[in-house]
């Protein structure tokens, strides 16, 4: 090499230098990214729960039927969002008020009224209480809904919000849209104890959609019919005045599933296995159990059909168009009892 001309030595040195740069480059791109720091969540496996659900090897965990179903739902949701949404927008803090955060276990849950949200809030209160609560059912239902008992994503800064959305397990539970709607009507307008809803919404509905109402009905608002409730929902003036109440607001408007990438979409129709799968993915199935339902008169498809029997095809079609996106995004078929043609 000493006898090599100066130009040749320079060329050889350049080649060797380029070779070492290429070696370093390929080492860097094949080296796995470091795992997120998990010391703030004691007892959690270093293996991401999403890896377990979506990339897990069968030796670690055989996917249950519920988990396979969860995989399929997420794919259906992603495809529906691509097919049926065109414009994307930036979320505001107001959009994030339904997303409950458990920093201790790295969870984000978007609660939807009339889809077991009381019990999910109870479960999250147990998980985030540092031992104050141990049994979800020991927590009174009204306490589960007290603002401030659980933190929401809107409480954080933009940087903190984005960090949590990137790294936490995000889940949502949905329900057949019209069964949820009938459940909301039954709970808010046919129960004597819901006087606040009667005053707030019932009086307005009766004043606007009942011919010649009695003075007592205008004062109390406690005898709203299902037909009047539907007329109120499809009336364009309703949403011009104010947003829907959360109990009958569409799920896609509460939780923004085409803007927020939910890892798990659970369903009310398969509540218990789906809830168990979520707790297993979160690594907390030994710490808390999801409460089983004791309701004997749960609103189902047969009950919804009885309520819709007296709704005209004109209003059925308008209502279906109003809730159409929830049917599409969460893969619910058009109810057989609807007469929209």
């Amino acid at each position: 090499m000493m006898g090599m001309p100066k130009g040749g030595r320079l060329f050889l040195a350049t080649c060797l230098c380029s070779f070492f740069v290429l070696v370093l480059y390929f080492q860097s791109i094949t080296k796995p990214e470091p795992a997120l720091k998990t010391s703030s969540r004691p007892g959690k496996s270093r293996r991401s729960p999403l890896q377990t659900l979506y990339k897990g090897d069968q030796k670690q965990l055989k996917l249950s039927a519920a988990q396979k179903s969860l995989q399929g739902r997420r794919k259906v949701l992603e495809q529906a969002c691509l097919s049926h949404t065109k414009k994307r927008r930036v979320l505001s803090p107001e959009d994030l008020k339904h997303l409950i955060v458990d920093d201790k276990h790295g969870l984000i849950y978007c609660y939807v009224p009339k889809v077991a949200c009381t019990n999910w809030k109870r479960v999250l209160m147990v998980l985030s209480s540092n031992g104050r609560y141990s049994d979800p059912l020991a927590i009174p239902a009204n306490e589960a809904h007290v603002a401030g008992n659980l933190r929401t994503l809107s409480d954080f800064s933009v940087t903190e919000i984005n960090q949590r959305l990137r790294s936490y397990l995000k889940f949502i539970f949905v329900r057949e849209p019209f069964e949820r709607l009938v459940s909301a009507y039954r709970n808010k307008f046919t129960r004597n104890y819901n006087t606040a809803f009667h005053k707030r919404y019932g009086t307005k509905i009766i004043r606007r959609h009942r011919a010649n109402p009695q003075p007592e009905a205008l004062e109390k608002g406690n005898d709203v019919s299902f037909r009047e409730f539907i007329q109120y929902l499809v009336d364009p003036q309703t949403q011009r005045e104010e947003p829907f109440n959360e109990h009958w607001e569409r799920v896609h408007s509460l939780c923004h599933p085409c803007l927020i990438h939910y890892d798990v979409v659970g369903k009310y129709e398969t509540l218990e296995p789906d809830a168990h799968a979520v707790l297993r993915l979160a690594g907390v199935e030994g710490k808390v159990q999801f409460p089983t339902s004791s309701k004997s008169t749960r609103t189902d498809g047969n009950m919804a059909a009885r309520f819709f029997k007296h709704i005209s095809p004109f209003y059925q079609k308008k209502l279906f168009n109003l809730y159409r996106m929830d049917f599409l995004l969460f893969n619910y078929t058009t109810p057989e009892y609807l007469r929209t043609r």
Side-chain angles (χ1 to χ4, degrees), residues 16 34 46 52 56 87 97 122 133 189 194 217 280 284 310 313 322:
L16 287 172
R46 293 180 65 86
T52 303
K87 295 181 180 179
K97 289 188 173 181
R122 285 167 162 159
Y133 303 108
F189 295 107
N194 267 322
R280 189 178 187 188
V284 296
H310 303 292
L322 191 62

Side-chain angles (χ1 to χ4, degrees), residues 228-256:
E228 291 168 336
F229 177 55
I230 298 305
Q231 288 177 316
Y232 164 77
L233 292 177
V234 301
D235 184 351
Q237 184 181 345
T238 299
Q239 289 192 80
R240 283 200 297 265
E241 289 182 349
E242 61 181 346
F244 277 167
N245 179 275
E246 63 179 10
H247 290 84
W248 48 83
E249 179 61 280
R250 285 70 53 92
V251 176
H252 74 271
S253 295
L254 291 175
C255 298
H256 314 284

Side-chain angles (χ1 to χ4, degrees), residues 131-301:
R132 181 183 174 191
Y133 303 108
S134 58
D135 178 10
L137 289 179
I139 301 172
N142 62 330
E143 187 174 343
H145 296 294
V146 171
N149 277 348
L150 292 164
R151 297 194 73 182
T152 65
L153 201 57
S154 59
D155 296 333
F156 297 90
S157 69
V158 172
T159 301
E160 291 170 328
I161 288 170
N162 287 330
Q163 185 274 325
R164 283 162 176 77
L165 286 174
R166 281 194 300 267
S167 60
Y168 283 15
L169 175 69
K170 301 173 292 296
F171 68 100
I172 179 177
F173 272 73
V174 300
R175 184 177 187 177
E176 201 279 341
F178 285 172
E179 290 176 25
R180 175 176 171 249
L181 192 64
V182 171
S183 178
Y185 167 77
R186 291 179 62 217
N187 180 252
K188 300 306 176 187
F189 295 107
T190 69
R191 304 286 191 267
N192 292 331
Y193 56 79
N194 267 322
T195 55
F197 267 82
H198 301 160
K199 282 281 189 181
R200 174 74 175 81
Y201 296 100
T203 55
K204 180 187 295 186
I205 293 171
I206 290 169
R207 185 169 60 252
R208 189 183 297 171
H209 298 289
R210 184 178 299 181
N212 304 314
Q214 295 297 314
E216 183 179 3
L218 286 171
E219 180 187 355
K220 294 184 177 179
N222 60 353
D223 64 343
V224 172
S225 71
F226 187 64
R227 179 181 56 81
E228 291 168 336
F229 177 55
I230 298 305
Q231 288 177 316
Y232 164 77
L233 292 177
V234 301
D235 184 351
Q237 184 181 345
T238 299
Q239 289 192 80
R240 283 200 297 265
E241 289 182 349
E242 61 181 346
F244 277 167
N245 179 275
E246 63 179 10
H247 290 84
W248 48 83
E249 179 61 280
R250 285 70 53 92
V251 176
H252 74 271
S253 295
L254 291 175
C255 298
H256 314 284
C258 293
L259 297 173
I260 296 172
H261 185 82
Y262 289 96
D263 305 299
V264 176
V265 178
K267 288 197 171 184
Y268 188 78
E269 294 78 12
T270 50
L271 177 60
E272 290 186 21
D274 288 359
H276 178 74
V278 169
L279 295 177
R280 189 178 187 188
L281 288 169
V284 296
E285 60 181 337
K287 297 180 180 179
V288 64
Q289 284 191 329
F290 190 84
T292 55
S293 175
S294 59
K295 291 183 179 180
S296 56
T297 56
R298 177 183 287 188
T299 303
D300 58 12

